[in-house]
Amino acid sequence: MDGLMRARVRACSGWTYAPARLGVLLGEHAEELPPGVVRCELGAHGEGPHHAYVTDLDGRHTGSIWATWQAGQPLGVTVLPDCPCRDGEPGVKEQVCCFFAGHGGPCSWDVADRPTA
């Protein structure tokens, strides 16, 4: 990156409630949230679907399970392929995007942590 600081965008503030069984899985990755609350993990965005990571699938190149929702609609789950982007840093400093392929907006390393609820 030639010593340049990248601009990070704030994480999306979209949230919804998850059914109890799914909430248990999601709670493993969002300890700061109240039980049953799910927040979008993507960078700030307007309308459109929100997404929260649930779990990886076994095996290489199998993708991950993501919770997805839109305002006023129930939460669902879907399998999405992993984002192939890498930040280009050399060696062990290289970061892999933690989002799904085609996520739109910045990759995970450019999304600032959101404040806790």
Side-chain angles (χ1 to χ4, degrees):
M1 296 299 327
D2 298 328
L4 297 176
M5 184 71 109
R6 281 192 274 210
R8 291 169 54 114
V9 299
R10 181 167 297 283
C12 181
S13 60
W15 65 274
T16 192
Y17 292 104
R21 287 183 174 174
L22 183 58
V24 170
L25 287 172
L26 290 164
E28 293 177 10
H29 309 288
E31 296 83 12
E32 78 279 359
L33 297 176
V37 173
V38 181
R39 280 211 184 128
C40 183
E41 296 185 29
L42 303 180
H45 59 94
E47 297 298 317
H50 297 286
H51 294 83
Y53 169 82
V54 177
T55 191
D56 286 327
L57 295 174
D58 290 337
R60 228 180 132 131
H61 307 295
T62 55
S64 301
I65 298 173
W66 288 81
T68 184
W69 70 96
Q70 293 198 49
Q73 295 183 3
L75 182 133
V77 293
T78 188
V79 174
L80 297 169
D82 296 330
C83 181
C85 295
R86 298 177 183 279
D87 71 353
E89 289 288 330
V92 296
K93 290 186 176 186
E94 184 177 55
Q95 295 183 57
V96 176
C97 182
C98 297
F99 298 152
F100 52 88
H103 56 79
C107 285
S108 59
W109 58 79
D110 281 333
V111 176
D113 292 334
R114 61 186 153 262
T116 57

